[in-house]
Amino acid sequence: MAKQNRRQFVGTSAALLGAAGMRLPLWAQLAANGSSPGLPVLLGVDYYPDQTPESLWEEDARKISEAGLTNVRIAEFAWALMEPAEGRFDFAWLQRAVDILHRNNIAVILGTPSAAPPPWLTEKYPEVVEVNEKGEKLHPGGRRFTCPTNATYRRLSLVIATEMANRFRAHPGVVGWQIDNEFTLGSSPRCYCNYCRAGFQAWLRTKYGTLDKVNQIWGTNFWSQHYSDWAQIPVPLPSGGDPNPGLALDYGRYQSFANASSLGEQLAMLRKLCPKHFVTTNNIGVPYDQIDMRELYAKLDFVAFDNYPGFFEMILREQGQSGPQLSQGISSMIAMQHDFGRSILRKPFLIMEEQSGKAGQRTFSPQPAKGQVRLWSYQAIAHGAMGVNYFRWDTATFGAEEYWHGMLNHDRSKSPAFDEMLQTVKELKSLGPDFLRSEYEADVAVYFDYDCSWAVKIQPGHNKLTYAEQVTTWYGAASPSHTGVDLIGPGSDLTRYKIVFAPVVYVLSEAQAEKIRQYVRGGGIFVTNFRLGVKTESSQIIKQPLPGYLADVMGVTLEDYVPVYAQNPHVKFGETLGGAEVECGIWADILKPSTAEVLATYSSGQHSGKAAITANTFGKGKAVYVGADLHAPDLFRVLGTFAASAGVKRPIDVPMGVELTVRQSGSKRWMFVLNHNGEAQTINLPGTFKDAVSGESHSGATQIPAYGVLVLTT
Ligand SMILES: [Zn+2]
């Protein structure tokens, strides 16, 4: 039912967007035959009529329309204006804003406002305010300071969302919904209040059934933690010693569930009241979220998230990076989020907030260089986005984000990126229906598992070991192959990939191990590293020799696992890996091969001569164990060697900091050559290609300007 009706949305929005000057054939066709994905390309801005004098709305709508934009997202922080007192609703202003936008052929995505409650709410119901990991109650005044479990807050969130839905369900200008905004993105991503404690106890009762099971699985005989009543079970607040790791991991899962089920209440209502509208939410993306995005988006129509590459630049510069290495790092961090967004539902995704200027609250990211906003838009589309919403239209002159710059400056003059946005929108519309039908294909997968992420955070083993950094580094090592990369998880089908890279698989269930076993047996190449299979999904240490369930597949057992603090051992690569001698970083798994071949050995320290990297032929495939923590360039070499052996071939050689991403439809390919460097670069093309944007032909040595884009077709 909902599916049929969402198809009808395509028809509606095609008319809308058509009126806005978009090209129609693909959408019209999709609407006619109902073939998925059934969603159009959206090019919009995040817009705040609630923060803008009404006298400017008409002018804004006209200019947004004249810019060629098709849609806006509005109202996600406007609760206080929509419900000025409990049960008293005022949508007249929003109606006027939506009417004006609609008259100007701008489709509207409405945001439900539960990320920031009004003061009357917290004054009347102070119990809805979140408690942080130190047990301190937060204070109203910012945003994201409410409890995800609290029934009162969830009820009031649902009430305002329902009132919005009733008011706008039939408005022809509204095409879809964003529920809430940036779940868990606050000073305390998780809540530790008494409501969450009771919610956790109820969730455990559903999950485990009996207290005996909870006691057994968590091992509560340790430190006298045996629970004789569900009500005794605590949340992981400061308690004189670290919490039980099983309890702590389950608490992370519970908090994710609490947020996702809170979203689920609004979703069920919207499906009922607004069956013609799409529904999504917006988050900051992997690996920074403290919420399982796979769980959160499971029942939504598509994935949407933020893209603020300026923050990546700040992080990488603080790590001392510069030049092409920095450009490559930024490109890779953006690409990883896009690849995750696409991989969650295996569908086109939307950038709900795309950086368009300096961004930040107290401090600001760098101003995007000339060309970067266009470059990032193309990068999103290359990785499978169906659209980009630039954040934001105008720049606020008040509030905590008054320096979060938009398309208009504080004085409403054009921002430095304004004309670039105009150009980009025009260009993207010209790519045509064939292109819109094309898909991003991946030969390579990087494995990302929230259980591993949370469990490593609970017990990193070494204060410098973070799962996010490991995954980012491994993704960064895989991406220069310039063949597609999916970011997959425990539920994913491995068999579609030539090679799977899986760093720090610290938590591994027997079922997941079996999936990996079958993948390798059938011919897959599985490459992993230290801390493999240490814990079961219950967070108990595996009772078998490490790597536990996968010992047969990897063809090794561990002699020891060693956090490294000083005198980093050296690792001597064998011939297959090029023969260099490199340094081991913060961790060394000491491998004892049973059937595996040794590809590198520790060459200094007390484990000198022992195996550091092994490869095991298992069935028709291969399982590679990288026991030593390698610095990024050495890891790149090792992973590159195995990617090549798996038959993963880069389409064209490109310089560092230049990204190559391919979309294809049948035999037709669109090669996006994206120069993330601040200097022009030269690539050598093996043949003649036509640039789908400029229409120019290129062959042989071809220059691509600083932050330039080529979309090459044959
Ligand atoms: Zn709570």
Side-chain angles (χ1 to χ4, degrees), residues 129-131 147-150 191-197 251 255:
V129 175
E130 186 181 358
V131 170
C147 167
T149 305
N150 184 279
C191 182
Y192 298 81
C193 77
N194 284 334
Y195 299 99
C196 284
R197 182 176 171 182
Y251 197 65
Q255 282 286 305

Side-chain angles (χ1 to χ4, degrees), residues 328-392:
Q328 176 105 359
I330 296 168
S331 156
S332 171
M333 287 173 87
I334 302 169
M336 181 167 129
Q337 297 209 306
H338 293 349
D339 287 344
F340 184 62
R342 186 195 59 256
S343 299
I344 291 174
L345 295 175
R346 300 193 64 78
K347 272 187 182 176
F349 58 90
L350 178 67
I351 302 297
M352 192 63 93
E353 298 184 11
E354 178 75 78
Q355 181 168 2
S356 65
K358 292 180 283 290
Q361 294 173 359
R362 270 187 281 183
T363 56
F364 332 132
S365 75
Q367 172 68 34
K370 192 169 170 44
Q372 271 187 318
V373 170
R374 176 173 176 261
L375 173 75
W376 297 333
S377 306
Y378 273 94
Q379 189 181 15
I381 298 293
H383 283 266
M386 61 178 182
V388 174
N389 267 9
Y390 296 100
F391 191 89
R392 46 185 275 172

Side-chain angles (χ1 to χ4, degrees), residues 15 22 74 88 90 131 158 162 174 205 228 231 381 427 648 665:
M22 295 287 290
I74 62 173
R88 185 157 68 77
D90 177 7
V131 170
L158 185 59
T162 307
V174 175
R205 202 191 276 253
S228 55
I381 298 293
E427 288 173 357
V648 174
S665 173

